[in-house]
Amino acid sequence: MALSLKPYCLVVLFLFWISLNALVSDVGAAGECGRTPIRSAAASLSPCLGAARNARAKVPPACCAKVGALLRTSPRCLCAILLSPLAKQAGIMPGIAIAIPKKCNIRNRQAGKKCGSKYTT
């Protein structure tokens, strides 16, 4: 007796379609930084590098403007950047960098908000 492979092929194609659909929807999903890739969001904060590495460094006005805009549009994005491998590679000290919104006198910062379980503003 010959066994028909048609039902098995249909099942395999259906599973493939479901897997592909899930993958495509994950790629288009918004993350902590909205639809902006975290690398791009981090690059936009380049004026803050000195202040994010050294607690005594003065925070430039351009940095304050970028951080303020980021907190208005994607409040969780700052924590995502600070806890990312990109920040570590750039020599950013999250415990120092998380204080930048306070140093900038940004009013809409989340007082006492934690990044992960380590850092607070």
Side-chain angles (χ1 to χ4, degrees), residues 59-119:
V59 181
C63 171
C64 292
K66 296 286 187 176
V67 170
L70 182 66
L71 289 175
R72 276 190 301 280
T73 59
S74 301
R76 291 193 224 162
C77 186
L78 183 61
C79 286
I81 292 169
L82 294 180
L83 298 176
S84 74
L86 294 170
K88 187 173 185 174
Q89 290 170 356
I92 291 171
M93 307 296 240
I96 294 170
I98 198 65
I100 290 174
K102 184 175 182 179
K103 289 180 178 181
C104 291
N105 294 317
I106 295 173
R107 292 186 184 148
N108 68 338
R109 71 182 190 274
Q110 292 82 12
K113 178 158 169 50
K114 295 183 179 187
C115 285
S117 60
K118 297 180 183 180
Y119 311 106

